[in-house]
């Protein structure tokens, strides 16, 4: 296994870490007004994610930095081609940060407090939808010139296939959000999350099957690696098995395992995408060459140096993440004014 493949795997792990961890707080934010009807319930939801949401985003920053250093040509193409979409994601993440940080600080000003709630909702919904749209465009391919520059428009990114991926990604985060809410809350909020879990599980199964069929029609190259090495079919089958397990675990009230099953849906979805794309990062729709882990990579010296840094840094991030979740374990309440 060469350095290029190792860094492809490292990036995959970072993306999975972000999608699983930030997935549940994006899901909670997107369901803020559905799960929380009263001020007390909304405070409980903010407190449920308050101590961990910013730590979860470390995985996104780390993945972005690793992509920039290990595969700079991919970073340049994706971030310039998806410039407006990335700006929307960035604004969303800023809105969400402001909404969470100032929600309790504006309790004496009802107007501002409502605004903070709206910022939290919008800032969660936009990234949850757009991450999937970006994945859909990478899967079906984007127009590029011979230098790897994106030659399409912003609205060209909003094609039906990419929007379907956006909906699938959004439902995945909503499912992750309700399973996390079940663990962290009790009473009426928990009951609402339990009711929504079955709805999102069925929705996820239907859209996942539609996405599988549609990919065969519009992006059949995404099946090449699976048919060449059928052992990899175990990854998408894990998605199906996890979805089928969710209603069973919910009925048995195994809420911890329920969250694990929901997390496995996201892990296997990202894993399926990675297997299908390998060794490509960006697929071109025209004659320009695809950007792969070889023609878009940094030098071997850079990859080797970064690998040493990653082997030191990633255990620290993992240890910090586990420590924070241990400290803030247990049910959330509305009693704390901030965190």
């Amino acid at each position: 296994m060469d350095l290029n493949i190792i860094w492809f795997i490292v990036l995959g792990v970072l993306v999975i870490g972000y999608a699983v961890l930030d997935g549940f707080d994006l899901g909670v934010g997107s369901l803020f007004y559905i799960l929380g009807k009263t001020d007390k319930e909304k405070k409980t939801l903010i407190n449920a994610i308050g101590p961990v949401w910013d730590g979860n985003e470390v995985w996104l920053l780390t993945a972005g930095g690793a992509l920039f250093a290990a595969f700079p040509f991919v970073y340049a193409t994706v971030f310039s081609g998806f410039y407006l979409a990335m700006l929307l994601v960035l604004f969303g993440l800023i809105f969400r940060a402001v909404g969470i940080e100032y929600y309790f600080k504006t309790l004496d000003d009802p107007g501002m407090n409502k605004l903070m709630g709206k910022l939290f909702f919008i800032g969660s919904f936009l990234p949850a939808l757009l991450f999937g749209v970006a994945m859909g465009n990478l899967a079906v391919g984007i127009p590029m010139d011979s230098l790897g520059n994106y030659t399409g428009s912003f609205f060209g990114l909003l094609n039906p296939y990419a929007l379907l991926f956006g909906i699938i990604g959004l439902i995945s985060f909503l499912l992750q959000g309700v399973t996390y809410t079940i663990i962290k809350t009790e009473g009426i909020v928990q009951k609402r999350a339990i009711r929504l879990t079955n709805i999102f599980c069925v929705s996820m199964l239907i859209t996942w099957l539609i996405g599988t069929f549609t990919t065969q029609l519009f992006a059949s190259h995404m099946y090449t690696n699976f048919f060449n090495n059928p052992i990899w079919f175990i990854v998408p089958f894990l998605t199906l098995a996890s979805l089928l397990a969710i209603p069973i675990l919910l009925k048995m009230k195994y809420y911890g395992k329920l969250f694990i099953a929901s997390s496995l849906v996201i892990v296997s979805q990202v894993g399926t995408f990675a297997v299908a794309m390998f060794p490509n990062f960006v697929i071109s729709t025209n004659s320009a060459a695809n950007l792969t882990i070889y023609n878009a990579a940094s030098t071997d010296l850079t990859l080797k140096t970064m690998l040493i840094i990653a082997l030191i840094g990633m255990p620290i991030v993992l240890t910090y993440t586990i420590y924070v979740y241990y400290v803030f374990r247990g049910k959330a309440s509305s009693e704390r004014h901030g965190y």
Side-chain angles (χ1 to χ4, degrees):
M1 183 180 297
D2 57 36
L3 284 169
N4 303 65
I5 295 177
I6 292 174
W7 269 104
F8 184 81
I9 295 172
V10 170
L11 276 171
V13 171
L14 291 173
V15 172
I16 285 173
Y18 173 73
V20 168
L21 296 178
D22 214 31
F24 69 72
D25 57 57
L26 289 173
V28 170
S30 299
L31 295 167
F32 189 54
Y33 294 104
I34 296 176
L35 290 173
K37 301 292 185 185
T38 66
D39 289 342
K40 185 177 179 180
E41 292 165 359
K42 290 185 175 74
K43 291 177 190 174
T44 301
L45 291 171
I46 293 285
N47 276 332
I49 67 166
V52 297
W53 72 272
D54 48 357
N56 294 341
E57 291 193 348
V58 169
W59 292 81
L60 178 63
L61 297 174
T62 307
L67 182 65
F68 172 74
F71 303 101
F73 297 106
V74 175
Y75 184 92
T77 297
V78 171
F79 278 74
S80 61
F82 298 171
Y83 189 70
L84 289 177
M86 290 294 182
L87 274 182
L88 286 176
V89 170
L90 181 61
F91 282 132
L93 294 177
I94 293 173
F95 289 164
R96 189 169 66 126
V98 172
I100 296 173
E101 292 289 347
Y102 286 91
Y103 191 82
F104 283 98
K105 295 180 177 67
T106 56
L107 288 178
D108 295 332
D109 186 339
M112 286 299 293
N113 187 248
K114 286 184 180 178
L115 176 61
M116 294 303 111
K118 290 176 182 176
L119 289 179
F120 177 46
F121 163 72
I122 295 171
S124 301
F125 180 82
L126 273 180
L129 178 68
L130 291 177
F131 283 137
V133 172
M135 293 289 183
N137 278 291
L138 292 177
V140 76
I142 59 175
M144 295 190 298
D145 61 21
S146 58
L147 297 177
N149 298 312
Y150 175 66
T151 57
S153 65
F154 168 71
F155 291 104
L157 298 175
L158 304 178
N159 57 81
Y161 180 79
L163 289 174
L164 174 61
F165 260 64
I167 293 171
I168 293 173
L170 174 63
I171 296 175
S172 299
F173 287 161
L174 296 180
L175 182 60
Q176 187 77 339
V178 290
T179 56
Y180 180 78
T181 302
I182 291 172
I183 294 175
K184 294 296 291 183
T185 64
E186 50 195 357
I188 187 66
V189 176
Q190 187 189 52
K191 289 179 181 176
R192 288 189 192 120
I194 289 173
R195 284 199 295 271
L196 288 172
T197 298
N198 280 326
I199 294 173
F200 291 139
C201 183
V202 173
S203 302
M204 184 73 255
L205 183 59
I206 293 172
T207 53
W208 181 75
L209 290 173
I210 294 174
T212 301
F213 176 72
T214 308
T215 298
Q216 177 62 38
L217 293 178
F218 296 99
S220 57
H221 54 269
M222 297 290 283
Y223 285 89
T224 302
N225 287 338
F226 290 101
F227 286 117
N228 287 341
N229 298 282
I231 186 67
W232 288 115
F233 274 112
I234 194 172
V235 184
F237 282 147
L238 179 60
T239 303
L240 182 61
S242 301
L243 285 172
L244 294 177
I246 284 176
I248 299 172
L249 295 171
L250 185 65
K251 188 173 183 179
M252 298 174 73
K253 298 184 178 180
Y254 289 163
Y255 297 144
K257 294 177 181 176
L258 178 70
F259 181 71
I260 292 173
S262 173
S263 300
L264 285 176
V265 171
I266 292 180
V267 171
S268 56
Q269 284 177 330
V270 177
T272 300
F273 183 80
V275 171
M277 290 291 289
F278 182 84
N280 298 299
F281 269 113
V282 181
I283 295 174
S284 171
T285 57
N286 51 34
S287 57
N290 297 339
L291 294 179
T292 72
I293 63 172
Y294 294 106
N295 66 13
S298 295
T299 64
D300 282 354
L301 177 61
T302 300
L303 296 179
K304 190 179 296 182
T305 304
M306 286 179 52
L307 185 60
I308 296 172
I309 296 172
L311 290 174
I312 298 172
M314 287 187 71
I316 296 174
V317 174
L318 278 174
T319 303
Y320 168 79
T321 302
I322 293 170
Y323 175 74
V324 169
Y325 279 85
Y326 175 77
V327 170
F328 293 99
R329 65 191 183 279
K331 298 289 185 182
S333 73
S334 63
E335 298 303 320
R336 291 175 298 169
H337 295 278
Y339 53 88

